[in-house]
Amino acid sequence: RVTVTNAAAQEFYLAHHFRHTRTIRGIRFTAQQGRVIYQASQLIDSNYEQIKGWHMPLGRYQSSRQEWDRIFPQQWAAGVPELTNIGAAQVKLSVAGQNALIAVRDSEEVDSQAGDGRLVCWSAKVLTGPLISAIRDWAFRNGYRYLVSLVDEADMALLPTDVQPTEYAQDFYELPI
């Protein structure tokens, strides 16, 4: 299949039998201390196989693998300090029987401010309230003010009501071949 995205070309895609498959939205929410019990430890293992088949409810733009590789730039961007020196944290979280891996790095978003973090998350299960609470608490305890991420529009209902959508939205179209 061919996957494409370009807001200005929607009519072209539909005229050539592409079908709309999903819309992702930007979100922004506060890092805040929470009342949730969780375990957090540094993620050291960069092997993608540990998350193969998992959900990627937050931060997915294209492929889960692409985002995974992006959080370990030291493996592919050696000698490029602009990529390897970005402040980042990779964390294993366990909360309420749910395991997740998150990465938070200094946000590159246009409207970002100091203290903002760009969040990506892989989880063995779908997004839950306790997982969001653990992520927010971890981010608060590690000095972040806000987290920005991407979420599939279909999953917006799983987020707490205080999570704010940003102006960013992207539609994806596919053509089976």
Side-chain angles (χ1 to χ4, degrees), residues 22 53 80 84 97 118 142:
R22 68 187 180 111
V80 183
T84 56
R118 183 179 182 281
N142 285 275

Side-chain angles (χ1 to χ4, degrees), residues 9-171:
Q10 176 181 3
E11 290 180 25
F12 173 84
Y13 299 143
L14 295 175
H16 289 85
H17 308 289
F18 283 77
R19 64 181 176 85
H20 179 263
T21 55
R22 68 187 180 111
T23 299
I24 59 171
R25 300 227 174 258
I27 57 171
R28 180 180 175 96
F29 54 100
T30 57
Q32 64 186 28
Q33 192 169 14
R35 295 179 184 228
V36 60
I37 297 172
Y38 64 94
Q39 288 184 312
S41 60
Q42 182 178 1
L43 173 62
I44 298 169
D45 184 0
S46 63
N47 185 351
Y48 178 75
E49 293 298 315
Q50 66 188 312
I51 59 151
K52 196 170 183 177
W54 281 22
H55 301 273
M56 190 176 181
L58 298 170
R60 182 177 178 173
Y61 178 70
Q62 290 186 14
S63 75
S64 175
R65 178 61 188 251
Q66 175 190 7
E67 294 299 335
W68 182 261
D69 289 342
R70 189 179 289 177
I71 70 169
F72 295 104
Q74 62 277 16
Q75 296 192 5
W76 55 270
V80 183
E82 295 85 0
L83 296 174
T84 56
N85 292 338
I86 294 173
Q90 297 91 11
V91 180
K92 288 190 225 181
L93 288 177
S94 180
V95 57
Q98 182 171 14
N99 293 318
L101 302 178
I102 66 167
V104 179
R105 66 176 182 250
D106 295 346
S107 181
E108 305 152 356
E109 308 301 320
V110 174
D111 59 352
S112 294
Q113 301 171 10
D116 288 0
R118 183 179 182 281
L119 168 70
V120 294
C121 172
W122 294 265
S123 175
K125 299 178 183 178
V126 297
L127 199 57
T128 63
L131 177 57
I132 291 288
S133 293
I135 291 169
R136 291 175 108 163
D137 185 78
W138 178 90
F140 176 83
R141 292 174 189 273
N142 285 275
Y144 291 95
R145 293 181 323 127
Y146 291 95
L147 295 172
V148 292
S149 194
L150 300 171
V151 65
D152 193 298
E153 188 173 61
D155 292 336
M156 288 290 288
L158 300 174
L159 299 172
T161 57
D162 66 330
V163 172
Q164 298 296 313
T166 67
E167 292 184 19
Y168 182 82
Q170 188 75 39
D171 291 310

